[in-house]
Amino acid sequence: MLRRYPDAGEPLSCKPITKGLLNHGYRVSTTRGSYFLKHHLDDSTGDRATIVRQHRATQRLQSLGVPVAPPVQDTEGDTVTEIGGRCYALHPWVDGLHRAGAQLSTDQSERLGALLGAVHTGLELVMGAGRGAGTGLVQRTGGSVGSGGSVRAVESGGSAGSIGSVESGGSVGHRSPDPADTFALIDDLLAVARRRHSRDAFDELAEHRLLERRTLLERHADRRPPTPGAPATGWVHGDFHPLNVLYRGDDPVAILDWDRLGVQPRAEEAVRAAAIFFVLPAGKLELEKVRAYARAYRRAAGASAAELAAAVHRVWWERLNDFWILRWRYCLDDRRADPQFPAVSALAVWWTREYEAVCEAFTG
């Protein structure tokens, strides 16, 4: 691999990095420094053309002053290496720390919002404002129980947050989750959770949250957001959360993992990001920080309060219908996301109760 990058030096060590849910990463140390080697595994974003588009976007964003870590070019000027049908990319190693919202001051929260606004306006410059082909929206709702007793996902409307991706075409905006599909999925997940031979505290909590969510959806089913009359036209990072932002000192030094780069409603990314950065373990949002973040984002992105209000409503509804962590656990027997479930599931309940306060924090 490193023979393709003669300026990188001779390899000394290669250590796997444990963080990250979709791809594999390694810290490669050489006689000339350290690098991040990324092994692209996700089928929805791991093809060469998609990766090259991501690389070109980060190269152009860097020229605008956005803190990114574009890949290293090989002797041919390429940034993607294919070995055994899989794609790899070599990036400069960036020293820094990940910080959740609880570790950010109000001023730092404001700078985070301004940074995301700069990303969105920068992407508009380097990618164009039009709707791209094959950009992929994260859309998942519905489901049924297969013959083996596991849940089989049906991908249609809704959103799975930062995990997974399916293509979304059509001439209008993406459809919000249908509560009828969610009710069916809740029944399926409850059946699987209740059939487990060795139930633990997680299974008990999952059952409680599924029953609670069904009641909330029955109460608020008439608040389903309408389908937008036009497709989204804004380019977004697609996965803006604490593990994809590196800090050194008080300031961000690199935005990482551009796998989900695509065309989506940009204000919805701003709301989703805030819901990840500023959620407390008890499932509440730090609204003072959200307010500072959102004001800075609106100024930097030129987004209106009405745009943020609509995004708050759509992301709230999305969260109310979303069970991606339970899908991973019960469908895929993958428990890597389990630690996120208590806060994520509690947030949907708290957000419903404090809907007006949350909306005001994003728009005031």
Side-chain angles (χ1 to χ4, degrees):
M1 172 76 185
L2 286 182
R3 285 197 297 269
R4 302 168 185 263
Y5 303 89
D7 294 336
E10 295 298 317
L12 298 175
S13 65
C14 181
K15 298 180 180 180
I17 298 172
T18 56
K19 291 183 178 179
L21 295 176
L22 295 177
N23 299 298
H24 291 170
Y26 305 87
R27 180 170 184 169
V28 177
S29 296
T30 77
T31 54
R32 295 186 179 177
S34 295
Y35 297 88
F36 173 69
L37 176 62
K38 184 168 184 176
H39 181 187
H40 291 265
L41 291 171
D42 185 31
D43 290 336
S44 64
T45 62
D47 64 281
R48 185 184 186 91
T50 299
I51 299 169
V52 167
R53 183 181 65 182
Q54 297 162 10
H55 290 174
R56 289 177 178 169
T58 57
Q59 289 167 339
R60 294 167 182 167
L61 285 173
Q62 187 179 53
S63 71
L64 297 177
V66 177
V68 291
V72 179
Q73 293 183 340
D74 64 17
T75 54
E76 304 296 324
D78 294 327
T79 57
V80 179
T81 297
E82 289 190 56
I83 301 175
R86 290 294 186 179
C87 292
Y88 299 80
L90 191 69
H91 298 258
W93 182 266
V94 180
D95 287 316
L97 298 173
H98 302 290
R99 290 186 177 179
Q103 300 168 297
L104 301 179
S105 66
T106 302
D107 287 344
Q108 289 173 319
S109 301
E110 182 178 359
R111 292 200 291 273
L112 181 68
L115 175 62
L116 183 57
V119 168
H120 288 172
T121 56
L123 284 172
E124 184 174 353
L125 289 172
V126 304
M127 303 296 291
R131 180 169 175 266
T135 55
L137 279 174
V138 184
Q139 305 292 343
R140 298 192 175 181
T141 56
S144 60
V145 177
S147 58
S150 62
V151 178
R152 182 174 66 252
V154 177
E155 299 179 350
S156 53
S159 175
S162 62
I163 306 299
S165 177
V166 295
E167 297 292 338
S168 178
S171 59
V172 297
H174 60 289
R175 184 171 67 91
S176 62
D178 187 335
D181 294 333
T182 307
F183 290 140
L185 177 58
I186 288 173
D187 290 341
D188 291 343
L189 289 169
L190 280 171
V192 175
R194 287 167 172 169
R195 275 201 304 268
R196 294 179 67 86
H197 297 298
S198 302
R199 284 167 59 87
D200 57 21
F202 185 101
D203 299 310
E204 297 292 338
L205 178 61
E207 181 175 350
H208 168 73
R209 290 303 189 194
L210 286 164
L211 293 171
E212 180 181 52
R213 198 77 63 85
R214 184 162 62 190
T215 298
L216 285 175
L217 278 169
E218 289 170 348
R219 188 178 303 155
H220 297 284
D222 60 337
R223 298 176 66 186
R224 179 187 180 188
T227 300
T233 58
W235 285 88
V236 299
H237 176 276
D239 204 12
F240 195 81
H241 60 71
L243 291 182
N244 284 338
V245 181
L246 276 179
Y247 279 81
R248 192 182 305 140
D250 291 338
D251 298 311
V253 291
I255 303 169
L256 311 173
D257 287 348
W258 292 78
D259 302 61
R260 301 298 181 199
L261 173 69
V263 175
Q264 295 185 27
R266 60 179 189 165
E268 290 182 26
E269 170 158 82
V271 175
R272 288 191 195 97
I276 301 172
F277 268 97
F278 302 114
V279 65
L280 295 171
K284 301 178 181 180
L285 292 178
E286 294 187 274
L287 293 184
E288 180 183 354
K289 294 179 181 179
V290 169
R291 185 173 292 106
Y293 159 94
R295 284 177 178 171
Y297 171 78
R298 295 203 317 267
R299 286 194 301 267
S304 68
E307 186 178 352
L308 266 293
V312 167
H313 187 66
R314 289 188 66 87
V315 177
W316 162 74
W317 181 258
E318 174 184 287
R319 287 301 189 101
L320 204 58
N321 286 267
D322 186 35
F323 299 100
W324 73 267
I325 297 173
L326 297 186
R327 290 174 182 272
W328 275 39
R329 180 181 174 91
Y330 296 127
C331 305
L332 306 176
D333 196 27
D334 187 335
R335 303 190 177 194
R336 288 177 296 166
D338 282 8
Q340 300 180 45
F341 183 70
V344 169
S345 59
L347 176 59
V349 180
W350 179 85
W351 192 336
T352 302
R353 185 173 66 247
E354 302 294 336
Y355 180 90
E356 296 300 332
V358 174
C359 193
E360 192 280 330
F362 279 98
T363 62

